[in-house]
Amino acid sequence: MSFNFDTVLNPPRPKRSLLAALCNTPGASGHEQPVKDLFLEQVGQLGMVVHDGLGGAMVEREGSKGGPRILLDAHLDEVGFMVKAIQSNGLIRFVCLGGWAPEVLPAQMVEIHTPNGTVLGVITARSAHFKQNPAFAELRIDVGATSESEVKGLGITIGNVAVPATKFSNMAHQDRVCAKALDNRAGVGVMIEVMRHLENATLPNTLIAGGSVQEEVGIRGAAAMAHLAKPDVVVVLEAPPADDVLEQDCCQGRLGCGPQLRLYDPTCIMNQELCAHIKKVADHLNIPVQLAVRESGGTNARGYQQYGKGVPVVVIGVPARYIHCHAGIMSWSDYLHMCHLVSGLVYSLDRHCVDGFTRRKHLRTSLKEERGL
């Protein structure tokens, strides 16, 4: 590496209290405002704030003149629920915002957010005394009411949004935390910590922190953010599913083994040179990295890669168990390593480096040699 990493050799010192606040704040898809407010409260003073038309926001910190535009993207939204109808018996029908497996929902507690405040509810289930759990379409939210009018009296109306009623907790294992919405408040937290860590650094680029919206319902906010930020490189910060509890032979997301660098998923093939550069930065900073090739799933990378003439994109994430469930588990050391890795990566991305992600000189040279040219 030809860069002086003295500025980032000392890693960031994140506090769990910030991640706790992010996870505890409600922000289902399309209703991300509370999370956006917290994001801007933390870093809005570090650059120019610009909002997109879908509800996302970015903070742009101008760096060296002529330097590339580096976008750190982290979607603000979490999976949740929306009230569809209120039955005469007081039970509430709902639709899912984002991907939920029906087997993880019965008997789980949720918070319905209304103009009058928060109402606690439980998703219906059948106990072991009955034959089976209800089908997905039969699930309801029970707030303890006995009639439609009683539910409405609580301030609940069609269109209200609910999220899991789970609070951030430190686990007995000192390196583990438990919370809802680690996907993707972990990514948002890393983005904030990197912006803070590099606040006084002289950067060879313009650094943009983009809090995008509605990722969980179809990668909608990335397109708007791309037009707003006009990036030369996009680093998508995520909390991908850990697969270490499945005891697979080819586990690629173990807790405590470092951030995960995604090389491929069905929606995006990552830029090869950018991935290679990230591995070099990780080696230089002595940060462990796990490589992932995913057979399913997708991220905002899909929404950025085809912007303009095409943009080098990569996904880096903190593996988390049980995402898209009411409680996930994450390694704090993985989170710390990801903050450090992304800080070093941003610090290394000057114009020459970024141009190399698309030139692919070594490929053309090898082809010429093979052809005897």
Side-chain angles (χ1 to χ4, degrees), residues 153-193:
L154 297 172
I156 299 173
T157 61
I158 293 173
N160 286 156
V161 169
V163 297
T166 308
K167 298 305 179 184
F168 182 97
S169 299
N170 292 303
M171 305 190 77
H173 190 303
Q174 293 184 355
D175 188 48
R176 304 288 189 262
V177 299
C178 177
K180 75 169 180 69
L182 289 171
D183 176 15
N184 183 40
R185 304 299 157 66
V188 177
V190 169
M191 184 167 63
I192 291 171
E193 297 292 355

Side-chain angles (χ1 to χ4, degrees), residues 193-212:
E193 297 292 355
V194 170
M195 290 291 286
R196 287 173 166 179
H197 186 54
L198 298 177
E199 178 179 0
N200 297 315
T202 301
L203 297 179
N205 50 57
T206 290
L207 177 58
I208 304 164
S212 55

Side-chain angles (χ1 to χ4, degrees), residues 52-121:
D52 67 37
L54 289 184
M58 73 178 205
V59 179
E60 178 175 332
R61 181 200 155 184
E62 188 174 358
S64 299
K65 186 176 182 180
R69 297 176 63 79
I70 310 302
L71 172 62
L72 303 181
D73 167 85
H75 69 86
L76 303 172
D77 57 317
E78 64 185 291
V79 291
F81 314 95
M82 180 179 285
V83 174
K84 175 184 177 182
I86 303 170
Q87 297 181 172
S88 59
N89 63 355
L91 294 179
I92 298 169
R93 290 186 161 205
F94 63 89
V95 297
C96 292
L97 299 175
W100 288 93
E103 60 268 23
V104 306
L105 293 179
Q108 296 292 338
M109 297 174 66
V110 299
E111 296 176 347
I112 303 175
H113 294 272
T114 80
N116 297 339
T118 300
V119 179
L120 188 66

